[in-house]
Amino acid sequence: MLATAVCGVLITGCGSGNGGGNHDAKANAKPAAEPKPLTAGALRPLLLSQADLGTGYVQVPEKSDSGKFDDVSVQGCSALDKLDQNGDGIAFAAKAETSFTYGTDATLSEELHSDRPSVLSSKLRALFHAYISCPKYTMTAGTTPITVKVAKSATPKLGDEQFAYTSTMELPSGAQVLKTMAVRRGNVAVMLVGAPALVDRHMTTAFDKLPSAS
């Protein structure tokens, strides 16, 4: 699963008229148009590759999203229930994703999302707020209940906005810790999910592949 819209408007007034004329010019000025979302096709080349990550990473073949979360439900977190009440959670205009394994049990998944900056910002805020608002909840995968503990995490000083939280899942095989971090630059956001050390290690590389904000 995966933001202050930064909008700068420069209005330059030149002339020898009185203050009223300058006020009218400002009042009639139109706000700068937001960059449009990129397409999924434009996002895919920006995803991390094995060459970006180095040795030891194996890319996982892409699978369809259809039915991927049909047997997963959440109990004990009204914020997540509200987030997903329309059946598909928070959806952005375009998305591209990939994932890797590292060693025998570590994973790293990446999602790129694109939308208008203000929309991307507000939806990322809603998404991360929903998760960190519930320090503990239960997730059921199939018939197996899993206790999940969530804590807000520190973020690097990258891009326009940054979000992160760490989830500790009490699995039958033992506790598993995953970190989710997102960084937005203009109309594109990169989200990494996986072993905390891998997310911290590769976020800057993933961010550097994003196009410069318009």
mmCIF file of all heavy atoms in Angstrom, residues 153-202:
data_model
loop_
_atom_site.group_PDB
_atom_site.id
_atom_site.type_symbol
_atom_site.label_atom_id
_atom_site.label_comp_id
_atom_site.label_asym_id
_atom_site.label_seq_id
_atom_site.Cartn_x
_atom_site.Cartn_y
_atom_site.Cartn_z
ATOM 1 N N SER A 153 8.108 6.957 11.471
ATOM 2 C CA SER A 153 9.564 6.879 11.340
ATOM 3 C C SER A 153 10.132 8.191 10.818
ATOM 4 O O SER A 153 9.431 8.986 10.192
ATOM 5 C CB SER A 153 9.959 5.743 10.386
ATOM 6 O OG SER A 153 9.528 4.500 10.879
ATOM 7 N N ALA A 154 11.409 8.374 11.063
ATOM 8 C CA ALA A 154 12.110 9.552 10.548
ATOM 9 C C ALA A 154 12.257 9.437 9.034
ATOM 10 O O ALA A 154 12.278 8.336 8.477
ATOM 11 C CB ALA A 154 13.480 9.678 11.202
ATOM 12 N N THR A 155 12.359 10.574 8.366
ATOM 13 C CA THR A 155 12.484 10.600 6.910
ATOM 14 C C THR A 155 13.682 11.441 6.494
ATOM 15 O O THR A 155 14.083 12.365 7.204
ATOM 16 C CB THR A 155 11.225 11.188 6.249
ATOM 17 O OG1 THR A 155 11.007 12.504 6.770
ATOM 18 C CG2 THR A 155 10.006 10.323 6.522
ATOM 19 N N PRO A 156 14.253 11.160 5.321
ATOM 20 C CA PRO A 156 15.362 11.977 4.818
ATOM 21 C C PRO A 156 14.835 13.299 4.270
ATOM 22 O O PRO A 156 13.650 13.425 3.951
ATOM 23 C CB PRO A 156 15.941 11.111 3.696
ATOM 24 C CG PRO A 156 14.767 10.317 3.197
ATOM 25 C CD PRO A 156 13.923 10.043 4.412
ATOM 26 N N LYS A 157 15.689 14.282 4.159
ATOM 27 C CA LYS A 157 15.298 15.586 3.625
ATOM 28 C C LYS A 157 15.398 15.548 2.109
ATOM 29 O O LYS A 157 16.375 15.984 1.503
ATOM 30 C CB LYS A 157 16.182 16.691 4.196
ATOM 31 C CG LYS A 157 16.088 16.833 5.702
ATOM 32 C CD LYS A 157 14.681 17.193 6.147
ATOM 33 C CE LYS A 157 14.595 17.391 7.657
ATOM 34 N NZ LYS A 157 13.217 17.704 8.104
ATOM 35 N N LEU A 158 14.374 14.976 1.495
ATOM 36 C CA LEU A 158 14.336 14.850 0.038
ATOM 37 C C LEU A 158 13.011 15.400 -0.483
ATOM 38 O O LEU A 158 11.977 15.265 0.172
ATOM 39 C CB LEU A 158 14.451 13.376 -0.384
ATOM 40 C CG LEU A 158 15.754 12.641 -0.081
ATOM 41 C CD1 LEU A 158 15.599 11.155 -0.407
ATOM 42 C CD2 LEU A 158 16.913 13.227 -0.881
ATOM 43 N N GLY A 159 13.044 15.978 -1.665
ATOM 44 C CA GLY A 159 11.830 16.362 -2.362
ATOM 45 C C GLY A 159 10.996 17.408 -1.648
ATOM 46 O O GLY A 159 11.467 18.176 -0.806
ATOM 47 N N ASP A 160 9.709 17.441 -2.019
ATOM 48 C CA ASP A 160 8.774 18.415 -1.467
ATOM 49 C C ASP A 160 8.143 17.932 -0.170
ATOM 50 O O ASP A 160 7.801 18.736 0.695
ATOM 51 C CB ASP A 160 7.661 18.713 -2.484
ATOM 52 C CG ASP A 160 8.210 19.286 -3.777
ATOM 53 O OD1 ASP A 160 9.128 20.125 -3.702
ATOM 54 O OD2 ASP A 160 7.742 18.891 -4.860
ATOM 55 N N GLU A 161 7.942 16.630 -0.041
ATOM 56 C CA GLU A 161 7.328 16.047 1.155
ATOM 57 C C GLU A 161 7.850 14.637 1.359
ATOM 58 O O GLU A 161 8.200 13.950 0.397
ATOM 59 C CB GLU A 161 5.807 15.994 1.016
ATOM 60 C CG GLU A 161 5.156 17.358 0.978
ATOM 61 C CD GLU A 161 3.661 17.262 0.816
ATOM 62 O OE1 GLU A 161 3.228 16.827 -0.271
ATOM 63 O OE2 GLU A 161 2.925 17.602 1.753
ATOM 64 N N GLN A 162 7.874 14.214 2.629
ATOM 65 C CA GLN A 162 8.359 12.876 2.955
ATOM 66 C C GLN A 162 7.451 12.280 4.043
ATOM 67 O O GLN A 162 6.996 12.992 4.938
ATOM 68 C CB GLN A 162 9.795 12.903 3.485
ATOM 69 C CG GLN A 162 10.732 13.853 2.760
ATOM 70 C CD GLN A 162 10.662 15.261 3.294
ATOM 71 O OE1 GLN A 162 10.293 15.486 4.451
ATOM 72 N NE2 GLN A 162 11.009 16.231 2.456
ATOM 73 N N PHE A 163 7.229 10.973 3.950
ATOM 74 C CA PHE A 163 6.403 10.257 4.920
ATOM 75 C C PHE A 163 7.036 8.892 5.175
ATOM 76 O O PHE A 163 7.589 8.283 4.261
ATOM 77 C CB PHE A 163 4.984 10.029 4.384
ATOM 78 C CG PHE A 163 4.307 11.275 3.878
ATOM 79 C CD1 PHE A 163 4.462 11.672 2.563
ATOM 80 C CD2 PHE A 163 3.520 12.044 4.711
ATOM 81 C CE1 PHE A 163 3.843 12.810 2.084
ATOM 82 C CE2 PHE A 163 2.894 13.189 4.254
ATOM 83 C CZ PHE A 163 3.056 13.582 2.937
ATOM 84 N N ALA A 164 6.906 8.394 6.401
ATOM 85 C CA ALA A 164 7.428 7.053 6.681
ATOM 86 C C ALA A 164 6.819 6.489 7.955
ATOM 87 O O ALA A 164 6.552 7.226 8.906
ATOM 88 C CB ALA A 164 8.950 7.070 6.794
ATOM 89 N N TYR A 165 6.595 5.196 7.961
ATOM 90 C CA TYR A 165 6.207 4.492 9.178
ATOM 91 C C TYR A 165 6.777 3.076 9.119
ATOM 92 O O TYR A 165 7.101 2.564 8.049
ATOM 93 C CB TYR A 165 4.682 4.452 9.367
ATOM 94 C CG TYR A 165 3.915 3.677 8.329
ATOM 95 C CD1 TYR A 165 3.741 2.292 8.434
ATOM 96 C CD2 TYR A 165 3.342 4.322 7.230
ATOM 97 C CE1 TYR A 165 3.025 1.591 7.491
ATOM 98 C CE2 TYR A 165 2.628 3.628 6.281
ATOM 99 C CZ TYR A 165 2.466 2.261 6.411
ATOM 100 O OH TYR A 165 1.757 1.554 5.456
ATOM 101 N N THR A 166 6.908 2.465 10.295
ATOM 102 C CA THR A 166 7.415 1.103 10.404
ATOM 103 C C THR A 166 6.326 0.211 10.967
ATOM 104 O O THR A 166 5.652 0.578 11.934
ATOM 105 C CB THR A 166 8.647 1.052 11.323
ATOM 106 O OG1 THR A 166 9.659 1.912 10.799
ATOM 107 C CG2 THR A 166 9.207 -0.373 11.402
ATOM 108 N N SER A 167 6.122 -0.939 10.344
ATOM 109 C CA SER A 167 5.118 -1.915 10.779
ATOM 110 C C SER A 167 5.815 -3.164 11.302
ATOM 111 O O SER A 167 6.720 -3.691 10.646
ATOM 112 C CB SER A 167 4.204 -2.309 9.615
ATOM 113 O OG SER A 167 3.595 -1.184 9.030
ATOM 114 N N THR A 168 5.388 -3.620 12.478
ATOM 115 C CA THR A 168 5.878 -4.879 13.023
ATOM 116 C C THR A 168 4.726 -5.867 13.039
ATOM 117 O O THR A 168 3.718 -5.647 13.724
ATOM 118 C CB THR A 168 6.430 -4.700 14.451
ATOM 119 O OG1 THR A 168 7.477 -3.731 14.428
ATOM 120 C CG2 THR A 168 6.982 -6.017 14.980
ATOM 121 N N MET A 169 4.842 -6.933 12.252
ATOM 122 C CA MET A 169 3.784 -7.929 12.123
ATOM 123 C C MET A 169 4.154 -9.189 12.888
ATOM 124 O O MET A 169 5.243 -9.747 12.699
ATOM 125 C CB MET A 169 3.543 -8.251 10.649
ATOM 126 C CG MET A 169 3.042 -7.069 9.854
ATOM 127 S SD MET A 169 2.829 -7.449 8.100
ATOM 128 C CE MET A 169 4.542 -7.526 7.596
ATOM 129 N N GLU A 170 3.241 -9.603 13.764
ATOM 130 C CA GLU A 170 3.464 -10.817 14.542
ATOM 131 C C GLU A 170 2.956 -12.015 13.746
ATOM 132 O O GLU A 170 1.800 -12.392 13.823
ATOM 133 C CB GLU A 170 2.738 -10.709 15.889
ATOM 134 C CG GLU A 170 3.198 -9.550 16.755
ATOM 135 C CD GLU A 170 4.652 -9.691 17.204
ATOM 136 O OE1 GLU A 170 5.190 -10.820 17.175
ATOM 137 O OE2 GLU A 170 5.249 -8.670 17.591
ATOM 138 N N LEU A 171 3.844 -12.618 12.962
ATOM 139 C CA LEU A 171 3.494 -13.757 12.116
ATOM 140 C C LEU A 171 3.704 -15.066 12.872
ATOM 141 O O LEU A 171 4.455 -15.109 13.860
ATOM 142 C CB LEU A 171 4.353 -13.741 10.851
ATOM 143 C CG LEU A 171 4.266 -12.481 9.983
ATOM 144 C CD1 LEU A 171 5.304 -12.532 8.887
ATOM 145 C CD2 LEU A 171 2.878 -12.333 9.395
ATOM 146 N N PRO A 172 3.055 -16.144 12.422
ATOM 147 C CA PRO A 172 3.277 -17.436 13.061
ATOM 148 C C PRO A 172 4.750 -17.849 13.083
ATOM 149 O O PRO A 172 5.206 -18.523 14.006
ATOM 150 C CB PRO A 172 2.455 -18.396 12.193
ATOM 151 C CG PRO A 172 1.366 -17.543 11.622
ATOM 152 C CD PRO A 172 2.010 -16.213 11.387
ATOM 153 N N SER A 173 5.501 -17.389 12.083
ATOM 154 C CA SER A 173 6.922 -17.735 12.004
ATOM 155 C C SER A 173 7.809 -16.792 12.805
ATOM 156 O O SER A 173 9.017 -16.986 12.902
ATOM 157 C CB SER A 173 7.366 -17.729 10.543
ATOM 158 O OG SER A 173 7.130 -16.456 9.953
ATOM 159 N N GLY A 174 7.209 -15.744 13.395
ATOM 160 C CA GLY A 174 7.967 -14.757 14.153
ATOM 161 C C GLY A 174 7.665 -13.349 13.682
ATOM 162 O O GLY A 174 6.940 -13.135 12.709
ATOM 163 N N ALA A 175 8.222 -12.373 14.370
ATOM 164 C CA ALA A 175 7.960 -10.973 14.030
ATOM 165 C C ALA A 175 8.678 -10.570 12.744
ATOM 166 O O ALA A 175 9.821 -10.969 12.505
ATOM 167 C CB ALA A 175 8.407 -10.067 15.171
ATOM 168 N N GLN A 176 7.980 -9.799 11.903
ATOM 169 C CA GLN A 176 8.574 -9.255 10.680
ATOM 170 C C GLN A 176 8.390 -7.749 10.684
ATOM 171 O O GLN A 176 7.288 -7.252 10.921
ATOM 172 C CB GLN A 176 7.939 -9.848 9.421
ATOM 173 C CG GLN A 176 8.546 -9.298 8.124
ATOM 174 C CD GLN A 176 7.889 -9.872 6.880
ATOM 175 O OE1 GLN A 176 6.871 -10.545 6.949
ATOM 176 N NE2 GLN A 176 8.470 -9.596 5.730
ATOM 177 N N VAL A 177 9.480 -7.026 10.443
ATOM 178 C CA VAL A 177 9.441 -5.565 10.444
ATOM 179 C C VAL A 177 9.573 -5.052 9.018
ATOM 180 O O VAL A 177 10.491 -5.434 8.288
ATOM 181 C CB VAL A 177 10.568 -4.976 11.321
ATOM 182 C CG1 VAL A 177 10.500 -3.451 11.320
ATOM 183 C CG2 VAL A 177 10.465 -5.509 12.741
ATOM 184 N N LEU A 178 8.649 -4.183 8.628
ATOM 185 C CA LEU A 178 8.678 -3.567 7.305
ATOM 186 C C LEU A 178 8.617 -2.055 7.466
ATOM 187 O O LEU A 178 7.929 -1.541 8.349
ATOM 188 C CB LEU A 178 7.489 -4.027 6.454
ATOM 189 C CG LEU A 178 7.453 -5.490 6.014
ATOM 190 C CD1 LEU A 178 6.160 -5.763 5.257
ATOM 191 C CD2 LEU A 178 8.654 -5.828 5.146
ATOM 192 N N LYS A 179 9.322 -1.357 6.601
ATOM 193 C CA LYS A 179 9.278 0.096 6.592
ATOM 194 C C LYS A 179 8.628 0.572 5.303
ATOM 195 O O LYS A 179 8.910 0.038 4.221
ATOM 196 C CB LYS A 179 10.689 0.689 6.706
ATOM 197 C CG LYS A 179 10.709 2.206 6.896
ATOM 198 C CD LYS A 179 12.104 2.676 7.273
ATOM 199 C CE LYS A 179 12.126 4.137 7.653
ATOM 200 N NZ LYS A 179 13.473 4.574 8.093
ATOM 201 N N THR A 180 7.738 1.548 5.420
ATOM 202 C CA THR A 180 7.090 2.156 4.260
ATOM 203 C C THR A 180 7.486 3.621 4.226
ATOM 204 O O THR A 180 7.271 4.346 5.203
ATOM 205 C CB THR A 180 5.564 2.031 4.349
ATOM 206 O OG1 THR A 180 5.199 0.657 4.440
ATOM 207 C CG2 THR A 180 4.898 2.654 3.133
ATOM 208 N N MET A 181 8.085 4.049 3.126
ATOM 209 C CA MET A 181 8.527 5.441 3.004
ATOM 210 C C MET A 181 8.134 5.988 1.641
ATOM 211 O O MET A 181 8.270 5.308 0.622
ATOM 212 C CB MET A 181 10.045 5.539 3.169
ATOM 213 C CG MET A 181 10.588 6.973 3.155
ATOM 214 S SD MET A 181 12.410 7.053 3.179
ATOM 215 C CE MET A 181 12.767 6.311 4.770
ATOM 216 N N ALA A 182 7.624 7.208 1.636
ATOM 217 C CA ALA A 182 7.258 7.876 0.387
ATOM 218 C C ALA A 182 7.866 9.261 0.344
ATOM 219 O O ALA A 182 7.927 9.962 1.357
ATOM 220 C CB ALA A 182 5.743 7.966 0.244
ATOM 221 N N VAL A 183 8.332 9.653 -0.831
ATOM 222 C CA VAL A 183 8.866 10.997 -1.059
ATOM 223 C C VAL A 183 8.222 11.539 -2.331
ATOM 224 O O VAL A 183 8.186 10.856 -3.357
ATOM 225 C CB VAL A 183 10.399 10.987 -1.211
ATOM 226 C CG1 VAL A 183 10.901 12.386 -1.551
ATOM 227 C CG2 VAL A 183 11.076 10.476 0.058
ATOM 228 N N ARG A 184 7.689 12.756 -2.227
ATOM 229 C CA ARG A 184 7.055 13.384 -3.397
ATOM 230 C C ARG A 184 7.949 14.464 -3.969
ATOM 231 O O ARG A 184 8.528 15.267 -3.236
ATOM 232 C CB ARG A 184 5.706 14.004 -3.005
ATOM 233 C CG ARG A 184 4.981 14.671 -4.201
ATOM 234 C CD ARG A 184 3.675 15.297 -3.778
ATOM 235 N NE ARG A 184 3.875 16.475 -2.941
ATOM 236 C CZ ARG A 184 4.135 17.694 -3.410
ATOM 237 N NH1 ARG A 184 4.255 17.907 -4.723
ATOM 238 N NH2 ARG A 184 4.277 18.711 -2.580
ATOM 239 N N ARG A 185 8.047 14.476 -5.298
ATOM 240 C CA ARG A 185 8.687 15.576 -6.025
ATOM 241 C C ARG A 185 7.704 16.028 -7.098
ATOM 242 O O ARG A 185 7.478 15.338 -8.095
ATOM 243 C CB ARG A 185 9.997 15.141 -6.667
ATOM 244 C CG ARG A 185 10.608 16.226 -7.570
ATOM 245 C CD ARG A 185 11.803 15.717 -8.347
ATOM 246 N NE ARG A 185 13.050 15.967 -7.634
ATOM 247 C CZ ARG A 185 14.235 15.486 -8.033
ATOM 248 N NH1 ARG A 185 14.307 14.711 -9.095
ATOM 249 N NH2 ARG A 185 15.320 15.773 -7.353
ATOM 250 N N GLY A 186 7.093 17.176 -6.869
ATOM 251 C CA GLY A 186 6.135 17.678 -7.847
ATOM 252 C C GLY A 186 4.973 16.727 -8.053
ATOM 253 O O GLY A 186 4.243 16.389 -7.127
ATOM 254 N N ASN A 187 4.797 16.257 -9.295
ATOM 255 C CA ASN A 187 3.665 15.405 -9.637
ATOM 256 C C ASN A 187 3.992 13.914 -9.627
ATOM 257 O O ASN A 187 3.237 13.105 -10.169
ATOM 258 C CB ASN A 187 3.104 15.803 -11.004
ATOM 259 C CG ASN A 187 4.120 15.638 -12.123
ATOM 260 O OD1 ASN A 187 5.316 15.433 -11.869
ATOM 261 N ND2 ASN A 187 3.672 15.722 -13.369
ATOM 262 N N VAL A 188 5.113 13.532 -9.010
ATOM 263 C CA VAL A 188 5.493 12.118 -8.906
ATOM 264 C C VAL A 188 5.924 11.816 -7.479
ATOM 265 O O VAL A 188 6.607 12.621 -6.842
ATOM 266 C CB VAL A 188 6.641 11.757 -9.875
ATOM 267 C CG1 VAL A 188 6.994 10.276 -9.756
ATOM 268 C CG2 VAL A 188 6.265 12.087 -11.313
ATOM 269 N N ALA A 189 5.516 10.656 -6.976
ATOM 270 C CA ALA A 189 5.953 10.203 -5.656
ATOM 271 C C ALA A 189 6.503 8.792 -5.774
ATOM 272 O O ALA A 189 5.963 7.960 -6.505
ATOM 273 C CB ALA A 189 4.800 10.223 -4.660
ATOM 274 N N VAL A 190 7.584 8.544 -5.055
ATOM 275 C CA VAL A 190 8.155 7.199 -4.990
ATOM 276 C C VAL A 190 7.876 6.638 -3.601
ATOM 277 O O VAL A 190 8.035 7.325 -2.596
ATOM 278 C CB VAL A 190 9.675 7.203 -5.286
ATOM 279 C CG1 VAL A 190 10.424 8.158 -4.376
ATOM 280 C CG2 VAL A 190 10.239 5.787 -5.158
ATOM 281 N N MET A 191 7.429 5.387 -3.553
ATOM 282 C CA MET A 191 7.158 4.722 -2.295
ATOM 283 C C MET A 191 7.929 3.407 -2.257
ATOM 284 O O MET A 191 7.833 2.603 -3.187
ATOM 285 C CB MET A 191 5.659 4.450 -2.129
ATOM 286 C CG MET A 191 5.284 3.860 -0.765
ATOM 287 S SD MET A 191 3.517 3.481 -0.635
ATOM 288 C CE MET A 191 2.803 5.115 -0.839
ATOM 289 N N LEU A 192 8.716 3.208 -1.201
ATOM 290 C CA LEU A 192 9.442 1.963 -1.002
ATOM 291 C C LEU A 192 8.888 1.253 0.223
ATOM 292 O O LEU A 192 8.602 1.883 1.246
ATOM 293 C CB LEU A 192 10.938 2.219 -0.797
ATOM 294 C CG LEU A 192 11.722 2.847 -1.947
ATOM 295 C CD1 LEU A 192 13.206 2.923 -1.584
ATOM 296 C CD2 LEU A 192 11.539 2.063 -3.236
ATOM 297 N N VAL A 193 8.743 -0.070 0.110
ATOM 298 C CA VAL A 193 8.271 -0.893 1.213
ATOM 299 C C VAL A 193 9.182 -2.104 1.310
ATOM 300 O O VAL A 193 9.434 -2.777 0.302
ATOM 301 C CB VAL A 193 6.813 -1.363 1.000
ATOM 302 C CG1 VAL A 193 6.339 -2.164 2.205
ATOM 303 C CG2 VAL A 193 5.895 -0.189 0.739
ATOM 304 N N GLY A 194 9.667 -2.388 2.503
ATOM 305 C CA GLY A 194 10.518 -3.567 2.654
ATOM 306 C C GLY A 194 11.298 -3.537 3.940
ATOM 307 O O GLY A 194 10.948 -2.811 4.889
ATOM 308 N N ALA A 195 12.343 -4.335 3.991
ATOM 309 C CA ALA A 195 13.213 -4.345 5.166
ATOM 310 C C ALA A 195 13.714 -2.931 5.420
ATOM 311 O O ALA A 195 14.162 -2.256 4.486
ATOM 312 C CB ALA A 195 14.378 -5.300 4.931
ATOM 313 N N PRO A 196 13.625 -2.426 6.658
ATOM 314 C CA PRO A 196 14.016 -1.035 6.939
ATOM 315 C C PRO A 196 15.387 -0.644 6.406
ATOM 316 O O PRO A 196 15.554 0.440 5.844
ATOM 317 C CB PRO A 196 13.959 -0.965 8.467
ATOM 318 C CG PRO A 196 12.913 -1.965 8.844
ATOM 319 C CD PRO A 196 13.080 -3.102 7.863
ATOM 320 N N ALA A 197 16.373 -1.512 6.537
ATOM 321 C CA ALA A 197 17.723 -1.178 6.071
ATOM 322 C C ALA A 197 17.756 -0.997 4.554
ATOM 323 O O ALA A 197 18.472 -0.124 4.039
ATOM 324 C CB ALA A 197 18.710 -2.265 6.489
ATOM 325 N N LEU A 198 16.972 -1.792 3.835
ATOM 326 C CA LEU A 198 16.954 -1.693 2.373
ATOM 327 C C LEU A 198 16.235 -0.421 1.933
ATOM 328 O O LEU A 198 16.665 0.246 0.981
ATOM 329 C CB LEU A 198 16.284 -2.924 1.764
ATOM 330 C CG LEU A 198 16.919 -4.286 2.066
ATOM 331 C CD1 LEU A 198 16.221 -5.387 1.267
ATOM 332 C CD2 LEU A 198 18.419 -4.272 1.768
ATOM 333 N N VAL A 199 15.137 -0.102 2.596
ATOM 334 C CA VAL A 199 14.407 1.127 2.257
ATOM 335 C C VAL A 199 15.294 2.346 2.492
ATOM 336 O O VAL A 199 15.398 3.232 1.637
ATOM 337 C CB VAL A 199 13.110 1.221 3.088
ATOM 338 C CG1 VAL A 199 12.455 2.593 2.904
ATOM 339 C CG2 VAL A 199 12.134 0.121 2.682
ATOM 340 N N ASP A 200 15.957 2.392 3.651
ATOM 341 C CA ASP A 200 16.835 3.527 3.953
ATOM 342 C C ASP A 200 18.002 3.616 2.970
ATOM 343 O O ASP A 200 18.415 4.695 2.567
ATOM 344 C CB ASP A 200 17.377 3.395 5.376
ATOM 345 C CG ASP A 200 16.298 3.584 6.435
ATOM 346 O OD1 ASP A 200 15.248 4.176 6.113
ATOM 347 O OD2 ASP A 200 16.512 3.135 7.574
ATOM 348 N N ARG A 201 18.514 2.463 2.570
ATOM 349 C CA ARG A 201 19.694 2.424 1.703
ATOM 350 C C ARG A 201 19.385 2.911 0.295
ATOM 351 O O ARG A 201 20.229 3.548 -0.351
ATOM 352 C CB ARG A 201 20.232 0.991 1.651
ATOM 353 C CG ARG A 201 21.522 0.822 0.840
ATOM 354 C CD ARG A 201 21.895 -0.646 0.758
ATOM 355 N NE ARG A 201 21.980 -1.253 2.091
ATOM 356 C CZ ARG A 201 21.994 -2.566 2.303
ATOM 357 N NH1 ARG A 201 21.916 -3.408 1.285
ATOM 358 N NH2 ARG A 201 22.072 -3.045 3.532
ATOM 359 N N HIS A 202 18.184 2.633 -0.201
ATOM 360 C CA HIS A 202 17.918 2.869 -1.622
ATOM 361 C C HIS A 202 16.950 4.015 -1.923
ATOM 362 O O HIS A 202 16.699 4.297 -3.100
ATOM 363 C CB HIS A 202 17.402 1.582 -2.271
ATOM 364 C CG HIS A 202 18.392 0.467 -2.261
ATOM 365 N ND1 HIS A 202 19.594 0.535 -2.942
ATOM 366 C CD2 HIS A 202 18.378 -0.732 -1.622
ATOM 367 C CE1 HIS A 202 20.269 -0.589 -2.751
ATOM 368 N NE2 HIS A 202 19.568 -1.367 -1.956
#
